[in-house]
Amino acid sequence: MMAQQNSGFEPQAFRAEVRAFLAEKLPEDLRRKVIGHQRLAKQDFLRWHEILRAQGWVAPNWPVEHGGTGWSVMQRYVFDEECAVAGAPETVPFGLRMVAPVIMAYGSAEQKARYLPRILSGEDWWCQGYSEPGAGSDLAALKTRAERKDGVFVVNGQKTWTTYAQYADMMFCLVRTDFEAKAQAGISFLLIDMRTPGISIRPIRTLDGDVEINEVFFDNVEVPVANLVGELHKGWTCAKYLLSHERFGASRVGRSKRELAFLQRLLRERVVDGQPLAADPIWAQTVARLEIDLLALEHTNLRLMERVQRGGGHGAEASVLKLLGTTLAQAITERQVEAAGVHALPFRQQAFTPQNLEDAAQDGRPGCADTDTLAGFYLNLRKISIYGGTDEVQKNIISKVALGL
Ligand SMILES: Cc1cc2nc3c(=O)[nH]c(=O)nc-3n(C[C@H](O)[C@H](O)[C@H](O)COP(=O)(O)OP(=O)(O)OC[C@H]3O[C@@H](n4cnc5c(N)ncnc54)[C@H](O)[C@@H]3O)c2cc1C
């Protein structure tokens, strides 16, 4: 439980401390699931959350007064990178990294006292109710209405693409409260208990056959007025604050390092015409290109981080890092599928759930190789150039904010 404070931060010592913790505390079955691209259940996320919480490290972006680590941006970067490379599950962002900073900045004393400890403990699972049919990139076009009546807001409308709504206890939600005002002006930020009568959830099956995202419908849902965060009609301020958070996590350098290592292992293990693919000069060139891009991304990340810490920056750092990180991560999965060749073709649902593999092994049935999950992983990662702002939208921001076009 060292390294709680920013002062006296020594990168090598801190990295070694994080590595030692991961070596001791990351459960092998969770690590195997992450490295093998298998699906994580709610219980898997909660288990890792609890291990981090016990260590005092579950909220790296929170100040110490609320139970966070108080780490600097650089410490958080090192921590995220080490966790990803080791194969730790990512913590679910909606509570810890999205709504919590908003509650800290704009919430009432009661909201802080109620929700922050429950996010820290993992008691409440949150989901994000921003997007609607017809309001994604153009978020201000949202139509879900909240009308104030007798101490409650009555909410009617629909959200979509809501990640893990099926697990959620709470949703932070953008709703229209002023129906005359234009675009952003009449929007408010509400906290909604997902067990409130009138809420229904319909799963959306994604390309890889999984159910991660949902449609959420509100039919006369009554939300206490005390669940409004910040001022009425000023929810856009909270929304923008939330989206500007975690600007440096967007590049996911650690995950790309892990996936590149997976690709390199595949190339060593796959033998074609008596030679491992790794010995093929075209593959060697392809991997070198990815390594160079990853190194460039890492250095860009560190450079932008340092610049912003010195008070500089153009304001489009998050967009630059998300765009570059996404492009590289998708390129690595494409090469993984190519390297696995025909072995990536079978799409076997059971490959995504290790219990089935263990059962199969016990019964003497053939299990699944780790290449069996590659097609699913490849398909799943198409989402990263859409959520959190599409590639095209990031390019618009970069051209306007950073390049002044
Ligand atoms: C897996 C996944 C999980 C998600 N989870 C959540 C969640 O938990 N909560 C939530 O609120 N939302 C979530 N989203 C929604 C996500 O934020 C939106 O999908 C995203 O903002 C794009 O909006 P859209 O789908 O409406 O597409 P649209 O905005 O309709 O875009 C369609 C296409 O048009 C392009 N386009 C749009 N506007 C412009 C422009 N101005 N210039 C150039 N091109 C443009 C886009 O790049 C895209 O290619 C999730 C999405 C995915 C895929």
Side-chain angles (χ1 to χ4, degrees):
M1 267 261 249
M2 246 178 69
Q4 292 290 305
Q5 291 295 333
N6 187 4
S7 56
F9 165 59
E10 287 182 25
Q12 295 312 325
F14 179 68
R15 199 178 279 280
E17 186 185 355
V18 174
R19 278 189 190 166
F21 161 76
L22 289 164
E24 191 192 342
K25 294 285 168 59
L26 174 60
E28 179 56 17
D29 59 322
L30 280 189
R31 194 190 71 80
R32 284 211 329 258
K33 267 187 161 182
V34 172
I35 302 275
H37 309 117
Q38 287 171 341
R39 288 179 187 142
L40 297 178
K42 180 178 185 180
Q43 216 37 48
D44 295 324
F45 288 112
L46 290 179
R47 206 168 133 214
W48 183 235
H49 183 110
E50 175 50 27
I51 292 168
L52 290 174
R53 193 205 57 75
Q55 177 75 5
W57 288 358
V58 78
N61 59 323
W62 290 24
V64 175
E65 61 179 293
H66 290 300
T69 56
W71 285 341
S72 65
V73 171
M74 187 59 87
Q75 277 172 297
R76 279 151 50 190
Y77 178 82
V78 169
F79 178 70
D80 284 348
E81 185 188 340
E82 288 300 325
C83 285
V85 169
E90 289 184 9
T91 50
V92 180
F94 305 111
L96 288 166
R97 291 199 290 279
M98 292 187 170
V99 76
V102 173
I103 292 175
M104 285 178 210
Y106 297 99
S108 64
E110 291 74 28
Q111 288 167 348
K112 286 179 197 163
R114 175 169 176 77
Y115 295 115
L116 296 179
R118 295 166 69 96
I119 293 172
L120 204 61
S121 68
E123 198 172 344
D124 283 343
W125 183 297
W126 286 77
C127 65
Q128 179 186 25
Y130 274 25
S131 306
E132 299 182 5
S137 305
D138 183 15
L139 188 56
L142 63 91
K143 292 195 171 67
T144 295
R145 297 164 67 94
E147 290 171 86
R148 198 166 167 166
K149 279 186 195 150
D150 307 329
V152 293
F153 288 104
V154 180
V155 180
N156 281 287
Q158 184 199 340
K159 295 291 169 183
T160 193
W161 313 125
T162 319
T163 302
Y164 296 139
Q166 72 270 37
Y167 299 154
D169 303 291
M170 295 292 301
M171 170 189 275
F172 56 92
C173 189
L174 291 179
V175 291
R176 192 158 287 289
T177 40
D178 181 344
F179 314 113
E180 310 303 321
K182 285 255 160 60
Q184 295 96 330
I187 289 172
S188 298
F189 193 100
L190 279 188
L191 309 179
I192 302 181
D193 186 329
M194 292 296 280
R195 284 170 291 262
T196 318
I199 297 181
S200 50
I201 299 173
R202 198 155 67 196
I204 301 173
R205 200 165 282 281
T206 44
L207 275 175
D208 59 341
D210 198 8
V211 177
E212 260 180 25
I213 52 178
N214 302 270
E215 294 177 287
V216 180
F217 299 89
F218 301 90
D219 181 11
N220 287 320
V221 173
E222 296 190 358
V223 180
V225 168
N227 286 19
L228 172 72
V229 179
E231 288 178 53
L232 187 67
H233 310 322
K234 297 275 171 64
W236 197 253
T237 312
C238 300
K240 271 199 312 195
Y241 183 77
L242 184 150
L243 292 174
S244 71
H245 253 255
E246 278 300 301
R247 52 185 10 189
F248 296 113
S251 63
R252 301 289 232 291
V253 168
R255 181 179 65 189
S256 283
K257 282 188 179 176
R258 183 181 77 218
E259 294 306 330
L260 189 54
F262 187 96
L263 172 63
Q264 287 167 313
R265 178 162 70 79
L266 271 183
L267 294 172
R268 284 195 301 274
E269 288 175 2
R270 270 213 76 208
V271 175
V272 175
D273 293 336
Q275 285 259 341
L277 285 179
D280 178 290
I282 294 179
W283 267 113
Q285 193 183 25
T286 302
V287 170
R289 179 79 256 163
L290 292 172
E291 281 178 322
I292 291 165
D293 287 347
L294 181 54
L295 213 56
L297 175 65
E298 189 170 15
H299 282 263
T300 305
N301 207 337
L302 294 170
R303 191 165 46 80
L304 294 183
M305 228 157 53
E306 212 242 329
R307 194 197 284 171
V308 171
Q309 274 183 318
R310 280 191 281 110
H314 44 55
E317 287 78 11
S319 296
V320 171
L321 295 173
K322 168 142 198 292
L323 182 65
L324 294 176
T326 296
T327 308
L328 178 62
Q330 290 188 336
I332 294 173
T333 62
E334 284 154 26
R335 300 298 86 77
Q336 286 175 340
V337 169
E338 283 168 11
V342 291
H343 300 283
L345 285 179
F347 187 84
R348 293 200 268 169
Q349 279 294 346
Q350 73 267 30
F352 295 100
T353 46
Q355 191 53 47
N356 285 327
L357 288 186
E358 280 157 26
D359 292 349
Q362 272 177 13
D363 300 349
R365 284 181 279 128
C368 302
D370 51 12
T371 45
D372 283 9
T373 52
L374 274 184
F377 180 60
Y378 162 83
L379 292 171
N380 187 277
L381 241 63
R382 300 308 94 191
K383 70 188 177 190
I384 63 177
S385 48
I386 302 173
Y387 70 41
T390 66
D391 278 3
E392 291 78 10
V393 167
Q394 306 300 350
K395 284 179 188 168
N396 284 348
I397 295 171
I398 295 164
S399 64
K400 257 197 233 153
V401 180
L403 305 176
L405 299 175

